[in-house]
Amino acid sequence: MTADGDCINPELTTLSRTPLVAGVPLNLLNTEVMSNDRFYVRNHFPIPKVDAANWSLPVSGEVDTPLNISYQDLKELPRHEVLALLECAGNSRAGIQPPIEGLLWDHGGVGTAGWAGVSLCTVLERAGLRSTAKEVLIEGCDEGEERGASGKLNYAMSLPMEKALHPDTLLAYEMNGEPLPGEHGFPLRAVVPGWFGMTSVKWIKSIQVLDHAFVGYHQTSYYVFVPEGATGDRPNERVTSLRVKSLISHPVRGQYVTAGRVTIEGMAWSGNGPIDKVEISTDDGKSWQEAQISPSPSPYAWQPWKYTWEANSPGNYLVRSRATDLKGDTQPVQTLWNFRGFANNAIHVVPVIVQPMP
Ligand code: MTE
């Protein structure tokens, strides 16, 4: 049997082969839409092989009419498209101090893609929500064991009704105009724009409307902010909305550039919608200059930005980027430490060497 990682694009950096976890090198984070073969992959279990012809979507729980929708029928429901970024909650945690638990993501656990499918609310409306509906639980077909959990479990996450009923919360069957690739959730996945990637459940097996708050390993034990010194006697806050963030895709760490004009570029995004400004500092954060930002193509997508640095004096520099969104949220110098280093949006710092002109 081949490992899940055997089929992966060699341009990606593989953090784990089974389950497959692979990130994008920073220098490739430079395009408005990330192609499917360059989109990061984050799996907790081996990739399930699902045959669309034998697959259907059961919708049950607090609904008047339980449904079981075939792949074909799903495609005949009103189509909805969303350009949205997904970022793994653990992205950018490799450098956090004190060290955190978990796979050491550099910065490549992020990408924007065009998703198409059916709004989750369309399916829920057809099933007829009861007034007792409190959360919508989406379960994946993938299963396995997790350290810290007993026995086999499926990957599953719930959404509060407000998020589940938002028209842009999608049951997606297409990614960038193609059927979902196997590693990204074929035949059907959730896409929850504005939230970290963990609720965008892949390989959907079932949807259940609950009259209570869901308790499950990934939702209530894993993707939560565990503060320093936590003893487990009280629930930890769940990871949800994306934070304002920017990354520098050029130059990269340790790059030699020639004195003169140097283009600094990268991407910026926020869970609060479009970015207001991206500022660059090349003097240890003493002064900041505004970069040019490309217009936002969707409230959920990242925005490319660019700044021309007059790097006239050779030497060693730290280049920093800091994004601020329209709500006024801005990137901190340091992230608020939590045990798994989730939601790190600290200012990105890149060491660069400016060498004299030949
Ligand atoms: N869905 C299932 N069924 N199993 C998973 O392991 N991983 C989640 C989410 N959906 C996961 C899942 C996490 S943590 C992230 S960040 C995104 O999928 C990653 O989506 P991608 O691999 O398509 O980039």
Side-chain angles (χ1 to χ4, degrees), residues 39-45 86-89 105 109 115 139-142 155-156 175 183-185 189 196-204 218 223:
F39 206 92
Y40 82 96
V41 181
R42 182 13 168 163
N43 298 341
H44 281 262
F45 301 129
L86 294 186
E87 183 186 17
C88 185
W105 281 107
W115 309 96
E139 195 180 356
C141 296
D142 50 333
Y155 190 88
M175 178 176 185
E183 65 273 24
H184 294 294
R189 75 173 300 164
F196 280 102
M198 73 271 132
T199 46
S200 292
V201 176
K202 303 192 275 190
W203 312 291
I204 297 178
H218 295 102
Y223 285 105

Side-chain angles (χ1 to χ4, degrees), residues 94-165:
I96 295 177
Q97 288 296 329
I100 44 67
E101 190 269 337
L103 284 173
L104 293 178
W105 281 107
D106 185 9
H107 298 286
V110 61
T112 292
W115 309 96
V118 181
S119 299
L120 173 58
C121 63
T122 303
V123 168
L124 295 174
E125 275 158 19
R126 287 187 188 219
L129 283 175
R130 293 197 173 144
S131 59
T132 44
K134 197 164 174 195
E135 290 191 357
V136 176
L137 175 64
I138 309 177
E139 195 180 356
C141 296
D142 50 333
E143 56 167 34
E145 291 179 5
E146 290 275 20
R147 289 179 301 154
S150 55
K152 272 199 168 176
L153 61 147
N154 286 81
Y155 190 88
M157 282 276 168
S158 74
L159 296 174
M161 293 318 293
E162 197 193 350
K163 197 72 185 164
L165 291 176

